[in-house]
Amino acid sequence: MRIKLRFTSNDGFLVLPVHYNYLLQSMIYRNLERSLADWLHEEGFRYYKRKFKLFTFSRLFGKFRREGDNLVYTGQVWFKIGSPYTKLLESLATHLVKAHEITINRQKCVLDAIEVEMKKEFKGPQLIKMLSPMTIYSTLKDAEGKKKTYYYAPWEKEFEKLILENLRKKVLVFNGNEDIPSLENAWIKPVKVNKKNLHVIKFKNTVIKAWSGIYELHLPEPYMSMAYYGGLGSKNSQGFGMWEVVDEGNDNLQECSKNERWEEIG
């Protein structure tokens, strides 16, 4: 399931720091049923020692200008949230409809609309564009035994391998460890990606390297649906890995293309 939230600041402008992912994530948690928010934050969907939240969200889209370390949005702003766990988005939408407003960074905004996306069906390879950058990494040890996080680039072979392995775990944990198809003939390939698509984003005190751009994605079900609704790569619930199919007839994608300046500020 995917929903789009459209909102407008009561003051006529919304001021956010450049690295605003945490603020959007916090807004989502605050507007969930309390027991659901607590379970999702503390437990989530467990795969051995790993915990998956199984939701993702896009960057913000709308007219804005940059002032120092802040972004000033004017007019209507929107972003998307997706999850294979429909209860999460139903809870969020219900709470926001009752409240009639959204508070982000202590600024109140009028909720203009909540749009529910029709269910997607995928056949064959898809050309996709990232609505929030994608990240995948390994935790390594240096010569002194200290842990170090290494973020992979899309043209490194480990990038595809780890993206697919991450996706396999999500499907296993969400489906209750049922038998699932092989990923032997699956792939994700960069099509229009260069160094300008690298984004260095701060989430609390963590620096994350992630990639936007256009890719070709080929996955059997149920992997494709999990990737679409739950996100590609790691740190999805922190605002990474949401994508849209590249389709000239897709009004949402056309609207994104008019507001792509976020790619210049990551």
Side-chain angles (χ1 to χ4, degrees), residues 13 15 42 50 52 68 83 91 96 131 159 168 195 200 212 238 240 263:
F13 55 88
V15 182
E42 300 299 328
R50 292 286 305 278
F52 293 99
S83 176
S91 177
L96 290 176
L131 297 183
F159 185 89
R168 186 185 70 83
K195 292 183 178 180
V200 181
S212 60
Q238 296 177 18
F240 294 89
E263 293 191 357

Side-chain angles (χ1 to χ4, degrees), residues 12 17 23 60 69 81 88-89 92 110 113 144 153 191 200 218-219:
L23 296 174
L60 289 176
D69 293 331
I81 309 167
L88 187 157
L89 295 186
L92 177 64
V110 176
E144 298 178 354
V191 174
V200 181
H218 180 57
L219 300 168

Side-chain angles (χ1 to χ4, degrees), residues 1-236:
M1 182 178 180
R2 277 190 177 190
I3 62 174
K4 179 194 287 187
L5 303 182
R6 294 184 180 270
F7 51 95
T8 307
S9 171
N10 287 350
D11 298 324
F13 55 88
L14 176 64
V15 182
L16 298 174
V18 171
H19 303 285
Y20 57 72
N21 288 39
Y22 177 67
L23 296 174
L24 293 188
Q25 187 199 60
S26 297
M27 185 279 293
I28 292 170
Y29 275 111
R30 284 198 311 271
N31 287 284
L32 295 176
E33 180 184 343
R34 187 73 270 150
S35 59
L36 174 60
D38 290 343
W39 170 79
L40 192 63
H41 186 268
E42 300 299 328
E43 293 295 327
F45 296 86
R46 284 188 172 271
Y47 183 86
Y48 296 98
K49 294 183 179 180
R50 292 286 305 278
K51 293 189 294 185
F52 293 99
K53 311 301 183 185
L54 295 188
F55 74 90
T56 188
F57 55 91
S58 72
R59 300 284 283 180
L60 289 176
F61 294 94
K63 295 181 180 179
F64 70 90
R65 65 181 183 274
R66 182 164 182 169
E67 294 184 357
D69 293 331
N70 292 323
L71 304 177
V72 181
Y73 288 87
T74 56
Q76 192 177 78
V77 183
W78 67 268
F79 75 108
K80 287 187 174 185
I81 309 167
S83 176
Y85 188 45
T86 56
K87 183 178 180 180
L88 187 157
L89 295 186
E90 289 171 352
S91 177
L92 177 64
T94 298
H95 191 279
L96 290 176
V97 167
K98 290 180 179 178
H100 299 294
E101 66 179 18
I102 294 176
T103 301
I104 303 176
N105 201 26
R106 299 183 180 180
Q107 298 164 85
K108 292 187 179 298
C109 301
V110 176
L111 178 64
D112 298 318
I114 298 180
E115 301 171 12
V116 181
E117 185 179 288
M118 295 289 289
K119 185 177 180 180
K120 287 277 189 180
E121 293 185 3
F122 302 96
K123 293 182 180 179
Q126 302 289 324
L127 197 63
I128 70 169
K129 180 173 184 173
M130 303 310 299
L131 297 183
S132 55
M134 172 172 40
T135 185
I136 198 74
Y137 64 93
S138 291
T139 301
L140 310 173
K141 289 186 179 181
D142 60 20
E144 298 178 354
K146 295 182 180 179
K147 290 184 178 180
K148 179 181 179 180
T149 301
Y150 181 85
Y151 290 94
Y152 294 97
W155 39 84
E156 294 181 272
K157 63 180 182 179
E158 291 87 353
F159 185 89
E160 179 185 69
K161 177 183 177 181
L162 292 176
I163 289 284
L164 296 179
E165 177 60 20
N166 174 276
L167 190 57
R168 186 185 70 83
K169 292 175 182 177
K170 291 173 187 171
V171 171
L172 279 173
V173 72
F174 187 67
N175 288 8
N177 291 329
E178 297 176 0
D179 290 336
I180 55 177
S182 168
L183 280 166
E184 183 179 357
N185 296 316
W187 71 73
I188 177 169
K189 301 175 182 178
V191 174
K192 190 176 180 181
V193 185
N194 57 44
K195 292 183 178 180
K196 292 183 179 179
N197 294 113
L198 172 62
H199 307 278
V200 181
I201 298 171
K202 293 180 182 177
F203 189 92
K204 294 185 179 180
N205 297 320
T206 301
V207 175
I208 300 167
K209 295 180 181 180
W211 295 83
S212 60
I214 295 176
Y215 303 79
E216 185 178 75
L217 182 65
H218 180 57
L219 300 168
E221 288 292 0
Y223 300 103
M224 186 66 89
S225 291
M226 175 59 72
Y228 186 72
Y229 295 109
L232 281 168
S234 301
K235 301 184 182 294
N236 303 131

